Amino acid sequence: MLRSFGVREENKKPMPKTAVRRKSNEPTVRFVPLGGLEEIGANMMFFEYEDEIVVIDAGLLFPGDSTPGVDYIIPNTQYLQENKDKVKALIITHAHYDHIGAIPHIIDKIGNPTIYCTSLSKALIEKRQEDYPALGKLKFVVIKNRDEVQLSPNIKALFFGVSHTIPESAGVVLQTPIGNLLNMGDYKVEYDEQGNPQGLEELEEISRMGIHSFFTDSTNADRDGRQVTEKMVEANLEKIFREAKGRIIVGSFASVITRIAEIIKIAEKIGRYVFLSGYSMKSNVQIAQNLGFIKAKSGTIVPIEELHKYKDDKVLILSTGAQGESNASFMKIINGEHRNIQVKPGDTVLFSASVIPGNERAVQTLKDNFARQGAIIYSSDIVDIHSSGHAMREDIKLVISTIKPKFLVPVHGYYYKRFINAQNAREVGVKNTPLMDNGQVAELTKDNFVITQETVPATYVFVDGLGVGDVEEVVLRDRISLSQEGMVLVVAAVDRQNGKLLKNPEIITRGFIYVRDNQEMLEEMKKRVKSVFSRFSNYRELESDYVKGIIRDTIGQYLFNKTRRRPMILTVLIEL
């Protein structure tokens, strides 16, 4: 399991720089999760001792049905912004977007602290930073396995390697005045061919240090059993690849570099050439090659533009978009919009990725469309061609029982998953399992872990195009209303002197009714607009907003009585 390695926010409220603290004569570390405890993604937390703050991870969360039009969501860093002079370090456990995706949007705001991470994480963070040229230069300290680093006067970090789906994933022990605090990021347990867990010796060594609190991943805490080994996945992939008669198209996350390296190695073994589809896939593979994590022979990886030169039985395509993302390569392929790849009957298509909760429908649509076009489809629910990077229930119990922490704090997951993880801990003898939510403040002393009544802002910050934090709840409600109920626009030209209509009102609808079949309803709406103006004896004394409100209420009530629907109603008055 262990590996060695080489804006304006939503509902923002003013908050004092010096928060209320519980009075105590003994050393106290404050722990605050800013993201990742009520969702899968946006992982971010910090530890505060006196005037020293150490942050772990800064990830993003991809939007769901309740956030239409939003590109992604990042944690709320208002407290860190107001205390940026105290922020001494940002530790990155690994370079998946749910752990690094928020960095360009928050790093300057929290004082541009030094980022402590491995060489691969540094390269991927810098690559993402190229999309934001106006930002300042990042400060890095590259860490290696077993490095001990003094982050601040009273907080030291011990780094060690963990097994995940990306090389150089790191765990960290924060050595503080109240004890040792352990965060392993995302991890899984690897087993040898005889089924023996690997890497427990280092965990036992960490356990001997004495762990006050263990903050552990809960993504798969509710899934029984143990994780499929990468050896088994590799064997199944090779079997499918050898049996494929035509082209092979593999959909995966571009950041699952360990799996990508395995696939490229198998392709070389069976005599296939590898074609990369998707900007992030090409970028990440190039970075991994430069750092030596992917060792492809010369000529194995061929530009996608040369795909037509090769026979189908010599082709293996690695593509992004296995989650059904609308702009990713997989979606372009099935829609016939890809410049170089069109689905052929007999293509073998593999979904080598876990389905992120909320993406089930999009992934099913992908599978349906590939099947309609004659592809042969494999996914992890049919055969073991994917091993999650997150430990399952028995693996988590093994790790907890090896670490033997005084307190087990479930993180990274919905409340239910964290609740189950707390049960997992109690089943192996750890009785203290505090469950927190984003924004809550816990105070840790030598023998206690107390969740206080204090909170810090932790509401979502939405990134929409170039805007960060300028899309608030009211905007999302309008978008949802438009998508569900449609819109009615009332346009009226009126004489500003006497308030009489100069022409018949115009009614425009979008997403509400089919106009051609509802002329009677449109005429009735026009009559009711006319009746509103007939009520005003002295129009010049009225505010136009008041008149618009009357029209909106009148039409809204009529449409609800008629259709039991509430479209968004917009009113435009043209005063001439």
Side-chain angles (χ1 to χ4, degrees), residues 504-505 507 513 515 518-530 555 558:
N504 227 13
I507 308 292
I513 56 173
V515 173
N518 290 275
Q519 289 298 319
E520 184 178 332
M521 189 184 299
L522 290 177
E523 290 304 318
E524 181 61 30
M525 281 191 275
K526 291 177 182 179
K527 288 180 183 178
R528 290 175 183 254
V529 173
K530 292 176 183 177
I555 298 301
Y558 165 70

Side-chain angles (χ1 to χ4, degrees), residues 223-339:
R223 292 183 59 190
D224 289 327
R226 294 174 170 175
Q227 195 57 260
V228 177
T229 67
E230 283 295 335
K231 291 288 185 184
M232 183 179 293
V233 170
E234 195 171 339
N236 289 335
L237 287 172
E238 183 172 341
K239 181 175 184 294
I240 293 170
F241 290 178
R242 287 188 180 278
E243 293 174 353
K245 304 300 182 187
R247 301 182 306 178
I248 299 169
I249 306 174
V250 181
S252 183
F253 295 109
S255 57
V256 186
I257 291 174
T258 303
R259 179 78 39 74
I260 291 169
E262 291 173 0
I263 290 171
I264 293 173
K265 192 185 302 181
I266 297 170
E268 290 180 334
K269 191 175 179 181
I270 64 175
R272 286 188 181 249
Y273 297 92
V274 177
F275 300 82
L276 306 177
S277 182
Y279 174 77
S280 58
M281 182 69 74
K282 295 174 184 176
S283 298
N284 287 6
V285 169
Q286 184 62 61
I287 290 170
Q289 282 184 288
N290 294 343
L291 294 173
F293 297 108
I294 293 179
K295 297 181 174 68
K297 297 175 184 176
S298 177
T300 296
I301 299 175
V302 183
I304 194 73
E305 292 78 14
E306 298 181 18
L307 178 64
H308 65 282
K309 299 179 182 179
Y310 292 79
K311 293 181 179 179
D312 288 354
D313 62 357
K314 295 295 182 183
V315 168
L316 189 151
I317 300 166
L318 273 169
S319 173
T320 58
Q323 297 298 309
E325 302 98 311
S326 58
N327 294 321
S329 181
F330 246 26
M331 190 64 75
K332 291 179 181 178
I333 292 171
I334 64 167
N335 289 337
E337 298 171 353
H338 198 287
R339 293 180 181 179

Side-chain angles (χ1 to χ4, degrees), residues 26 86 137 166 181 210 215-217 248 256 334 344 401 543 567:
E26 59 182 327
K86 300 180 182 179
K137 186 175 177 60
I166 186 170
L181 310 175
F215 302 84
T216 186
D217 179 18
I248 299 169
V256 186
I334 64 167
K344 296 180 181 180
S401 61
E543 291 286 341

Side-chain angles (χ1 to χ4, degrees), residues 335-386:
N335 289 337
E337 298 171 353
H338 198 287
R339 293 180 181 179
N340 306 103
I341 308 170
Q342 290 77 40
V343 181
K344 296 180 181 180
D347 281 347
T348 297
V349 177
L350 295 91
F351 287 76
S352 186
S354 300
V355 180
I356 295 174
N359 290 349
E360 293 85 358
R361 183 180 298 178
V363 173
Q364 187 60 50
T365 300
L366 272 180
K367 292 179 180 178
D368 290 346
N369 286 329
F370 273 119
R372 287 180 187 278
Q373 296 179 50
I376 302 163
I377 301 168
Y378 292 91
S379 60
S380 55
D381 53 354
I382 299 173
V383 62
D384 291 326
I385 57 173
H386 174 69

Side-chain angles (χ1 to χ4, degrees), residues 40 46 191 287 308 328 334 435 491-492:
I40 303 291
F46 70 85
Y191 295 87
I287 290 170
H308 65 282
I334 64 167
L435 286 167
V491 181

Side-chain angles (χ1 to χ4, degrees), residues 10 34 48 195 197 258 264 397 401 432 459-460:
E10 175 195 359
L34 294 178
E48 182 177 16
T258 303
I264 293 173
K397 286 183 182 180
S401 61
N432 300 309
T459 48
Y460 285 159

